[in-house]
Amino acid sequence: MGRYVIAVLPGDGIGPEVTAEAVRVLEAVGRRFGHTFEFHEALIGGAAIEATGSPLPPETLDRCRRSDAILLGAVGGPRWDDPTAPVRPEQGLLDLRKGLGLFANLRPVRAFPALVDATPLKRHVIQGVDLLFVRELTGGLYFGPRREAGPDGEEAYDTMHYTRPEIERVVRLAAGLARARRKKLTSVDKANVLAASRLWRRVTEAVVRREFPDVALEHVLVDAFAMHLIRRPAAFDVVVTENMFGDILTDEAAVLAGSMGMLPSASLGETPPGLFEPVHGSAPDIAGRNLANPIGAILSAALLLRHGLGLEAEAAAVERAVEAALADGYRTRDIADGEGPIVGTREMGEAIRQRI
Ligand code: NAD
């Protein structure tokens, strides 16, 4: 029986609607398992810019640092889309990740039996998919030495830069996760061309050999992996990769789950708090209309329980409740199959809550 402090950052667009459902699910978990969750809301993104002028006010970062875990909705929207604006909502998210040292982004992708026909891939390809992406989040091509093109527009570059400790910590985290699952780790790189990838491969090999001899390690080139991911996605367990490769491959993998609205994520550092948020954005086209699928946010709450608080049974209870609600025919508009009735955000949340 624990007592946990959770920072809730609803953000913009559908963020507040879907996080409200995730919070209610956590309350139901608290009742069933005897835990107390203390929720503290704070501002981020466009909502924070409106109220304070900053997308990540110092009080928000402070509130997060004093919490056991952070649940976030989404940030951004057309109101703040002007590329010349001095502050943008997305900066709040980047600053939060940086401020908390979150170096690994986890994205589980599962094919729910009730949704296998909601994807563009064939049923036999999708069945049994249960993989976990671990993307390096603070290094690589997005953060290496760079140069913008000057006024002459002749030259610009970005650099894929990694150090051994940066690779070691993310591979160690991924291999530890593989150990608790099916003990298979796939490392994705471009070692036939890139020096940074050759270092990545060498360090990965050493960490897994030395510290995780019970985990089977394979190396796959990123171009081949992009193909395998849609040909035989059920063959993979934990996949670890560089920042940009992970950015691209996780969006490809999102297709396997049927809808953006289904996917959760976790960003972790060396120590808590971790950040837990759905993969989707603020979906301004459907915001405030009870149309959003809350499952990505609710499954993010499951990741918060598992990876943020170490509560595995509680996390599994949430995942089973989602599966049961889907099996019982509950569908939001984005995953509708033309058979059962379509429900709204609140009704889907309620259906899941009742099954905890
Ligand atoms: P989006 O993910 O918000 O929406 C893409 C499409 O998917 C839309 O048609 C939307 O209606 C639908 N969709 C998304 N989530 C859904 C859900 N839970 N249920 C049902 N349908 C859902 O991406 P976008 O339209 O490219 O971006 C909109 C805004 O969100 C932009 O300002 C962007 O910068 C921001 N964004 C934020 C994050 C984040 O907060 N992590 C991530 C991506 C985009």
Side-chain angles (χ1 to χ4, degrees), residues 8-12 14-19 44 71-75 93 275-282 297 300:
V8 180
L9 278 45
D12 308 314
I14 61 170
E17 299 167 59
V18 297
T19 39
I44 193 165
L71 185 66
L72 185 137
V75 299
L93 201 47
L275 173 66
F276 303 86
E277 55 177 321
V279 164
H280 61 74
S282 59
S300 299

Side-chain angles (χ1 to χ4, degrees), residues 14 74-77 81 90 93 260-261 277 279-286 291-293 334:
I14 61 170
V75 299
D81 263 355
E90 292 76 12
L93 201 47
M260 274 306 245
E277 55 177 321
V279 164
H280 61 74
S282 59
D285 52 331
I286 56 167
L291 290 175
N293 184 348
D334 56 310

Side-chain angles (χ1 to χ4, degrees), residues 46-240:
I49 294 176
E50 301 289 305
T52 71
S54 158
L56 183 69
E59 311 84 73
T60 297
L61 185 57
D62 190 48
R63 167 54 67 198
C64 290
R65 288 207 168 107
R66 287 189 284 122
S67 303
D68 296 306
I70 306 157
L71 185 66
L72 185 137
V75 299
R79 222 162 137 182
W80 307 283
D81 263 355
D82 176 4
T84 60
V87 283
R88 291 176 47 86
E90 292 76 12
Q91 196 57 43
L93 201 47
L94 295 177
D95 290 348
L96 184 61
R97 287 175 182 160
K98 195 166 162 223
L100 298 172
L102 305 175
F103 64 81
N105 183 242
L106 278 55
R107 285 204 196 179
V109 180
R110 276 188 65 202
F112 286 93
L115 295 185
V116 284
D117 294 321
T119 84
L121 298 185
K122 292 196 176 76
R123 179 175 263 266
H124 75 268
V125 174
I126 292 294
Q127 253 158 358
V129 169
D130 180 8
L131 52 85
L132 174 58
F133 269 94
V134 181
R135 165 187 167 194
E136 203 288 326
L137 203 56
T138 53
L141 194 61
Y142 292 172
F143 293 96
R146 68 195 324 195
R147 191 170 126 185
E148 290 293 338
D152 64 355
E154 287 297 316
E155 188 193 1
Y157 59 77
D158 303 275
T159 317
M160 190 184 288
H161 177 274
Y162 271 111
T163 63
R164 187 173 51 79
E166 282 175 326
I167 303 169
E168 277 177 345
R169 63 183 183 181
V170 71
V171 168
R172 198 168 278 134
L173 192 139
L177 293 166
R179 177 174 270 166
R181 292 170 46 105
R182 302 195 300 278
K183 296 189 169 51
K184 186 174 171 197
L185 180 64
T186 302
S187 171
V188 176
D189 63 34
K190 187 71 182 168
N192 54 344
V193 178
L194 300 174
S197 276
R198 284 191 282 278
L199 177 67
W200 180 282
R201 193 176 278 214
R202 212 164 57 227
V203 172
T204 301
E205 193 76 38
V207 169
V208 177
R209 279 257 164 79
R210 198 171 55 228
E211 300 172 35
F212 303 88
D214 52 326
V215 172
L217 171 67
E218 66 172 349
H219 303 282
V220 182
L221 294 174
V222 63
D223 42 346
F225 186 81
M227 191 176 64
H228 295 317
L229 188 58
I230 45 169
R231 273 218 177 132
R232 48 182 191 94
F236 302 104
D237 180 11
V238 178
V239 180
V240 65

